[in-house]
Amino acid sequence: LPESPEFFAEKLSLFPEGCFVLAMNEALLGYGLSHPWLLNSIPKLNGFLLRLPSPADCILIHDVAVLQHARGQGASSILIRLIEGLAKKRDISYLALISVYNSHPHWARFGFETASNNTADMLKSYGPTARYMVRRLC
């Protein structure tokens, strides 16, 4: 799902410690973009956050992208561990994400479960296959 560079820049400026790049031998393999947020609250895709909630009760994984040649080598696992560490450091007990393009089985392998709340309206900007998924860390 394409987003304008301004939206990525805002997330980076609001929470730089939640932005990760995976590289090997100076070659980019992928990235992860996350930030503190509120459970069951889904920011609109291609929308500015303006500020982060305080206190936050989850780390929202906004985007994870792994290049084709790096898939199947544990890149997602590395990014998830980095984001878990960030959540624990901030004493946050949940990770949340929006699964797109029927990627929910991939996220289920990391312990994420589809939330059974009323998030359908908030998910519209993410496409028809979007699912809000949550994982408890403790």
Side-chain angles (χ1 to χ4, degrees), residues 39-40 94-99 104 106-117 131-136:
L39 280 172
N40 303 312
Y94 291 92
L95 300 180
L97 58 82
I98 295 95
S99 160
H104 57 279
H106 173 76
W107 297 114
R109 290 195 321 247
F110 296 103
F112 287 89
E113 297 178 351
T114 300
S116 58
N117 50 30
R131 292 183 185 204
Y132 181 67
M133 301 182 80
V134 176
R135 177 180 166 198
R136 184 171 174 84

Coordinates of all heavy atoms in Angstrom, one line a residue, residues 39-40 94-99 104 106-117 131-136:
L39 N -4.4 0.5 21.9 CA -5.0 -0.7 21.4 C -6.4 -0.4 20.8 O -7.1 0.4 21.3 CB -5.2 -1.7 22.5 CG -4.0 -2.6 22.9 CD1 -4.3 -3.4 24.2 CD2 -3.6 -3.5 21.8
N40 N -6.7 -1.1 19.8 CA -8.0 -1.0 19.1 C -8.3 0.4 18.5 O -9.4 0.7 18.1 CB -9.2 -1.4 20.0 CG -9.0 -2.7 20.6 OD1 -8.7 -3.7 19.9 ND2 -9.1 -2.9 21.9
Y94 N 1.7 -5.0 24.8 CA 1.1 -5.4 23.6 C 1.8 -4.9 22.3 O 2.3 -3.8 22.3 CB -0.4 -5.0 23.5 CG -1.2 -5.6 24.5 CD1 -1.4 -5.0 25.8 CD2 -1.9 -6.8 24.2 CE1 -2.3 -5.6 26.7 CE2 -2.7 -7.4 25.2 CZ -2.9 -6.8 26.4 OH -3.7 -7.4 27.3
L95 N 1.8 -5.7 21.3 CA 2.1 -5.3 19.9 C 0.8 -5.4 19.1 O 0.0 -6.3 19.3 CB 3.2 -6.2 19.3 CG 4.5 -6.3 20.0 CD1 5.4 -7.3 19.2 CD2 5.2 -5.0 20.1
A96 N 0.7 -4.5 18.2 CA -0.5 -4.5 17.3 C 0.0 -4.2 15.9 O 1.0 -3.6 15.7 CB -1.5 -3.5 17.7
L97 N -0.8 -4.7 14.9 CA -0.5 -4.4 13.5 C -1.8 -4.6 12.7 O -2.7 -5.2 13.1 CB 0.6 -5.3 13.0 CG 0.5 -6.8 13.1 CD1 -0.3 -7.4 11.9 CD2 1.8 -7.5 13.1
I98 N -1.7 -4.1 11.4 CA -2.7 -4.3 10.5 C -2.2 -5.2 9.4 O -1.2 -4.9 8.7 CB -3.3 -3.0 9.9 CG1 -4.0 -2.2 10.9 CG2 -4.3 -3.3 8.7 CD1 -3.1 -1.1 11.5
S99 N -2.7 -6.4 9.3 CA -2.3 -7.4 8.3 C -3.0 -7.1 7.0 O -4.2 -6.8 7.0 CB -2.6 -8.8 8.8 OG -2.7 -9.7 7.7
H104 N -2.1 -12.5 7.2 CA -2.3 -12.9 8.6 C -1.7 -14.2 9.0 O -1.3 -14.4 10.1 CB -3.8 -12.9 8.9 CG -4.7 -13.7 8.0 ND1 -5.0 -13.3 6.7 CD2 -5.2 -15.0 8.2 CE1 -5.7 -14.3 6.2 NE2 -5.8 -15.3 7.0
H106 N 1.2 -15.3 8.2 CA 2.6 -15.0 8.5 C 2.7 -14.4 9.9 O 3.5 -14.8 10.7 CB 3.1 -14.0 7.5 CG 4.5 -13.5 7.8 ND1 5.6 -14.2 7.6 CD2 4.8 -12.3 8.3 CE1 6.6 -13.5 8.0 NE2 6.2 -12.3 8.4
W107 N 1.8 -13.5 10.2 CA 1.8 -12.8 11.6 C 1.4 -13.8 12.7 O 1.9 -13.7 13.8 CB 1.0 -11.5 11.5 CG 1.6 -10.6 10.6 CD1 1.1 -10.1 9.4 CD2 2.9 -10.0 10.7 NE1 2.0 -9.3 8.8 CE2 3.1 -9.2 9.5 CE3 3.9 -10.1 11.6 CZ2 4.3 -8.5 9.3 CZ3 5.1 -9.3 11.4 CH2 5.2 -8.5 10.2
A108 N 0.5 -14.7 12.4 CA 0.1 -15.7 13.4 C 1.2 -16.5 13.8 O 1.3 -17.0 15.0 CB -1.1 -16.6 12.8
R109 N 2.2 -16.8 13.0 CA 3.4 -17.6 13.4 C 4.2 -16.9 14.5 O 5.0 -17.5 15.2 CB 4.3 -17.8 12.2 CG 3.7 -18.8 11.2 CD 4.8 -19.3 10.2 NE 5.7 -18.3 9.7 CZ 5.8 -17.8 8.5 NH1 5.0 -18.2 7.6 NH2 6.7 -16.9 8.2
F110 N 4.0 -15.5 14.6 CA 4.7 -14.8 15.6 C 3.8 -14.5 16.8 O 4.1 -13.7 17.7 CB 5.2 -13.4 15.0 CG 6.2 -13.6 14.0 CD1 5.9 -13.4 12.6 CD2 7.5 -13.9 14.3 CE1 6.8 -13.6 11.6 CE2 8.5 -14.1 13.3 CZ 8.1 -13.9 12.0
G111 N 2.7 -15.2 16.9 CA 1.8 -15.1 18.0 C 0.7 -14.0 17.9 O 0.0 -13.8 18.9
F112 N 0.6 -13.4 16.8 CA -0.5 -12.4 16.6 C -1.8 -13.1 16.4 O -1.9 -14.1 15.6 CB -0.1 -11.4 15.4 CG 0.9 -10.4 15.8 CD1 2.3 -10.8 15.5 CD2 0.6 -9.2 16.3 CE1 3.3 -9.9 15.8 CE2 1.7 -8.3 16.6 CZ 3.0 -8.6 16.3
E113 N -2.8 -12.5 16.9 CA -4.2 -13.0 16.8 C -5.1 -11.9 16.2 O -5.0 -10.8 16.6 CB -4.8 -13.6 18.1 CG -4.0 -14.7 18.6 CD -4.5 -15.2 20.0 OE1 -5.4 -14.5 20.5 OE2 -4.0 -16.3 20.4
T114 N -6.0 -12.3 15.3 CA -7.0 -11.3 14.8 C -7.8 -10.9 16.0 O -8.4 -11.7 16.7 CB -7.8 -12.0 13.7 OG1 -6.9 -12.4 12.6 CG2 -8.8 -11.0 13.2
A115 N -7.9 -9.6 16.2 CA -8.8 -9.0 17.2 C -10.2 -9.2 16.8 O -10.6 -9.0 15.7 CB -8.4 -7.6 17.5
S116 N -11.1 -9.5 17.8 CA -12.5 -9.7 17.5 C -13.3 -8.5 18.0 O -14.3 -8.7 18.6 CB -13.0 -11.0 18.2 OG -12.7 -10.9 19.6
N117 N -12.8 -7.3 17.7 CA -13.6 -6.1 18.0 C -14.1 -5.4 16.8 O -13.9 -5.9 15.7 CB -12.7 -5.2 18.9 CG -11.3 -4.9 18.2 OD1 -11.2 -5.0 17.0 ND2 -10.3 -4.7 19.0
R131 N -6.7 -6.9 8.4 CA -7.1 -7.5 9.7 C -6.3 -6.8 10.7 O -5.1 -6.7 10.6 CB -6.8 -9.0 9.8 CG -7.7 -9.8 8.9 CD -7.3 -11.3 9.2 NE -8.0 -12.2 8.2 CZ -8.3 -13.4 8.5 NH1 -7.9 -14.0 9.6 NH2 -9.0 -14.1 7.6
Y132 N -6.9 -6.4 11.8 CA -6.2 -5.9 13.0 C -5.8 -7.1 13.9 O -6.7 -7.9 14.2 CB -7.2 -4.9 13.7 CG -6.5 -4.3 14.9 CD1 -5.5 -3.4 14.8 CD2 -7.0 -4.6 16.2 CE1 -4.9 -2.8 15.9 CE2 -6.4 -4.0 17.3 CZ -5.4 -3.1 17.2 OH -4.8 -2.5 18.2
M133 N -4.5 -7.2 14.2 CA -4.0 -8.3 14.9 C -3.2 -7.8 16.1 O -2.6 -6.7 16.1 CB -3.1 -9.1 14.0 CG -3.8 -9.7 12.8 SD -2.8 -10.8 11.8 CE -2.9 -12.3 12.8
V134 N -3.3 -8.5 17.2 CA -2.7 -8.1 18.5 C -1.9 -9.3 19.1 O -2.3 -10.5 18.9 CB -3.8 -7.7 19.5 CG1 -3.2 -7.4 20.8 CG2 -4.5 -6.5 19.0
R135 N -0.8 -9.0 19.7 CA -0.1 -10.0 20.5 C 0.3 -9.5 21.9 O 0.8 -8.4 22.0 CB 1.2 -10.3 19.7 CG 2.1 -11.3 20.4 CD 3.4 -11.5 19.7 NE 4.3 -12.2 20.6 CZ 5.6 -12.3 20.3 NH1 6.1 -11.7 19.2 NH2 6.4 -12.9 21.2
R136 N 0.0 -10.2 22.9 CA 0.4 -9.9 24.2 C 1.8 -10.4 24.5 O 2.1 -11.5 24.1 CB -0.6 -10.5 25.2 CG -0.3 -10.1 26.7 CD -1.4 -10.6 27.6 NE -1.1 -10.3 29.0 CZ -1.2 -9.2 29.6 NH1 -1.8 -8.1 29.0 NH2 -0.8 -9.0 30.9

